[in-house]
Amino acid sequence: MPTPGPADPPHPDAVLRPAGGPAVLKILIAGGFGVGKTTAVGAVSEITPIATEEYLTQASAPTDSLAGVEAKITTTVAFDFGRITFDVPVPMELMLFGTPGQDRFMDLWDDLARGAVGAVVLADTRRLDSSFDAVTFCERTRLPFVVAVNEFDGAHRYPVAEIREALGLTPQLPVVTCDARQAASVARVLIRLVDHALSQTPSTATLLDA
């Protein structure tokens, strides 16, 4: 049997809930280096998040540019993991997988995306180009996604239309703002993603409503 790719529909086990239990959905938290993926997972997770953070070293300086994120001292080298449950719009349990941001770790993205129903692509307006790869990945693999602009302190606030144009996004693709440090803000983005993902996959929505 061929191995399903990220573009394939999520396995039924990922969306069918046990009798009386919540739907279990896998969500990818993607984006460039330093855009706030680890922060977002940690802020919203109701369990102690799993993080694979390592300290940045001089050896990584040629590949891990700190331009715009000079205070950053650690980086994700595998993935982050967290979990959050919701009662509405339906009972569901979201398994959150945060991707590493550097190009050299992008081979992991295909594996992390396998079985996911959608992705949140975090963006930083100070370094918007750092999220191009995440947008391209979601488009290439046909993974439903929303773009969430992480509003860092001191960063310029751009109109959503300008961000959409800069990233080359279609008018139908949701672009929202958030504060990755605030659980409620991240939760709103996740709900928006689930709504968008289910609108792209009617059969999955039917399963959740069953």
Side-chain angles (χ1 to χ4, degrees), residues 3 8 24 27 90 124 140 147 165 178 180-181 185 198 202 208:
T3 302
D8 295 303
V24 179
I27 302 294
V90 294
D124 177 356
R140 174 177 62 81
V147 171
E165 181 179 0
C178 73
R181 301 167 298 183
S185 183
L198 296 187
L208 289 173

Side-chain angles (χ1 to χ4, degrees), residues 177-203:
T177 59
C178 73
D179 184 335
R181 301 167 298 183
Q182 302 296 325
S185 183
V186 178
R188 284 193 294 271
V189 174
L190 293 172
I191 291 294
R192 185 69 183 90
L193 169 64
V194 171
D195 286 343
H196 176 65
L198 296 187
S199 74
Q200 306 300 302
T201 53
S203 60

Side-chain angles (χ1 to χ4, degrees), residues 86-159:
F86 293 97
D87 293 326
V88 293
V90 294
M92 58 184 170
E93 187 174 278
L94 304 186
M95 302 297 180
L96 310 176
F97 288 79
T99 68
Q102 301 94 319
D103 291 347
R104 67 182 185 277
F105 294 127
M106 285 194 68
D107 287 345
L108 295 173
W109 286 31
D110 283 325
D111 291 332
L112 291 174
R114 201 172 303 281
V117 298
V120 172
V121 174
L122 279 172
D124 177 356
T125 58
R126 301 169 302 175
R127 303 174 299 115
L128 205 56
D129 59 337
S130 68
S131 291
F132 285 169
D133 285 343
V135 169
T136 300
F137 174 83
C138 292
E139 291 175 340
R140 174 177 62 81
T141 58
R142 304 191 302 278
L143 184 66
F145 71 104
V146 302
V147 171
V149 179
N150 188 10
E151 295 189 321
F152 285 86
D153 293 338
H156 186 74
R157 305 297 192 248
Y158 293 92

